[in-house]
Amino acid sequence: MGDVAVGARSGHDGEEHPGRPAEESVPGQDGDMTSGNEPGPAGGGPSSGGQRPGSGEDGPGGSAAGPKKPRSFWKELPILVGIALVLALLIKTFLVQAFSIPSDSMQNTLQQGDRVLVDKLTPWFGSEPERGEVVVFHDPAEWLKGEPTPTPNAVQQVLSWIGLMPSAEEKDLIKRVIGVGGDTVECKGSGPLKVNGKALNEPYVYPGNTPCSVDDQGGQFKVKVPKGYIWVMGDHRQNSRDSRYNQDDKNHGMVPVDKVVGRAIVKAWPINRWGTLPVPDTFDQPLDQQSSAAASLSVAPQGLALVGVLPVAVWRRRRTAARSTESGTRA
């Protein structure tokens, strides 16, 4: 053991001292390992092997033998904050963004001050809004004209920049999708609201409100939604400036699909109002205009087939009778 320690420090790979037998060097080296400061076998001063291994007092590798000092938390903190900001920006841009409810137009489904999480991912894959969904969309044609714009403080500006709060500069609205491209939506009297002639049972409408508003400002209507647009209404029917009351704009009250930010999926705050925002059951019924024609085909396919085949059968009978008459004449 003593030979290895001395050789490693002297650079001779454990070679024996010249002029000294190998068996005499062993006890002396063991003594060096024990005391560290006794005279070596050659006399004079302390032995070259007197240093304890790993003491770090000499040699080029002495200082590197100790453990590395861990990086200070305060030096790592800016890196962690930077990574968190990048992730927050990516999530805000492509996945989910938080929005605040500024009014009572969606009561009681959503209350003023609620925070909702909006799915922004599915529109990137070509998904379009469906009936019954609660969606956030950019102001399509100055619906919010004249509405006051709040002035955020510094903290709110930072939170909106990283996506934890909506930006005050973005004029966004939140409503429920009632009709999609190709639908006919109508309201007569106080209701019910109809889509393609089918009445909707709307338990989400604000208590005390009627599904349709009896007024001449837009509460009574019958519209056909063009392809690439949606018709939206608030759940608080008598307190919502929705598609009904914007029919004089360039889109006739419709919202272009490309203006839709995404679907609101969760009420995230306050915590006592946490919950999901599913599509109501009333939209599970067949509402497509083609459904009535498909139903008639399924009810009496044999009758329709008979109507189509009958003229062919009559024509073949007449042709057979004519051939028989011609054959009898020739005979």
Side-chain angles (χ1 to χ4, degrees):
M1 182 172 65
D3 290 339
V4 175
V6 173
R9 296 188 178 275
S10 63
H12 296 296
D13 295 332
E15 293 179 357
E16 300 174 357
H17 290 282
R20 183 171 53 182
E23 60 272 12
E24 294 180 1
S25 64
V26 174
Q29 298 306 322
D30 290 341
D32 291 341
M33 293 280 296
T34 302
S35 64
N37 56 4
E38 295 179 359
S47 169
S48 60
Q51 302 294 338
R52 291 183 179 272
S55 63
E57 295 182 6
D58 58 3
S63 60
K68 292 184 178 180
K69 185 178 180 181
R71 182 178 294 178
S72 170
F73 169 76
W74 298 109
K75 292 181 179 180
E76 292 185 348
L77 183 61
I79 299 175
L80 297 175
V81 171
I83 294 174
L85 290 176
V86 171
L87 291 176
L89 287 173
L90 291 175
I91 291 173
K92 170 189 173 182
T93 304
F94 300 105
L95 299 179
V96 177
Q97 186 175 1
F99 285 84
S100 176
I101 306 303
S103 70
D104 297 327
S105 66
M106 283 296 292
Q107 285 182 316
N108 273 335
T109 304
L110 298 172
Q111 302 284 359
Q112 186 173 353
D114 284 354
R115 299 288 194 275
V116 297
L117 298 181
V118 175
D119 169 24
K120 301 176 69 175
L121 178 63
T122 50
W124 284 87
F125 293 94
S127 175
E128 294 190 357
E130 298 182 1
R131 305 182 194 96
E133 294 180 346
V134 177
V135 297
V136 172
F137 55 95
H138 298 311
D139 189 343
E142 296 186 343
W143 288 16
L144 297 175
K145 184 178 181 179
E147 294 287 337
T149 301
T151 303
N153 56 37
V155 175
Q156 291 173 330
Q157 288 179 345
V158 172
L159 293 177
S160 65
W161 183 71
I162 63 177
L164 298 181
M165 286 187 64
S167 173
E169 298 177 358
E170 296 179 359
K171 294 184 177 295
D172 299 318
L173 299 97
I174 184 167
K175 307 290 180 188
R176 188 180 299 276
V177 179
I178 301 298
V180 296
D183 287 344
T184 298
V185 186
E186 61 180 313
C187 258
K188 292 183 179 180
S190 59
L193 177 65
K194 294 182 179 181
V195 177
N196 298 326
K198 303 292 183 64
L200 299 181
N201 177 27
E202 301 184 282
Y204 47 81
V205 170
Y206 185 75
N209 279 194
T210 54
C212 300
S213 301
V214 182
D215 59 56
D216 57 356
Q217 307 299 317
Q220 304 291 292
F221 62 88
K222 184 175 182 178
V223 297
K224 186 174 179 64
V225 184
K227 293 293 184 182
Y229 291 82
I230 56 176
W231 179 270
V232 298
M233 298 173 68
D235 290 354
H236 197 167
R237 291 291 158 81
Q238 275 77 60
N239 188 24
S240 177
R241 298 291 298 182
D242 46 39
S243 290
R244 299 170 294 170
Y245 300 103
N246 289 283
Q247 295 185 62
D248 57 348
D249 68 17
K250 63 180 181 180
N251 300 316
H252 306 291
M254 316 291 176
V255 178
V257 170
D258 59 10
K259 291 285 187 179
V260 176
V261 176
R263 175 188 172 185
I265 52 176
V266 172
K267 292 179 289 185
W269 189 264
I271 194 65
N272 63 333
R273 286 190 42 80
W274 189 95
T276 59
L277 294 169
V279 174
D281 294 340
T282 188
F283 293 95
D284 291 339
Q285 61 178 312
L287 295 174
D288 293 332
Q289 290 181 330
Q290 295 82 359
S291 60
S292 59
S296 63
L297 285 174
S298 62
V299 169
Q302 296 87 355
L304 292 175
L306 180 61
V307 171
V309 171
L310 186 59
V312 178
V314 171
W315 173 75
R316 293 191 64 181
R317 286 178 62 85
R318 287 181 178 179
R319 185 176 181 183
T320 302
R323 288 180 177 179
S324 298
T325 303
E326 184 179 352
S327 298
T329 303
R330 288 179 179 178

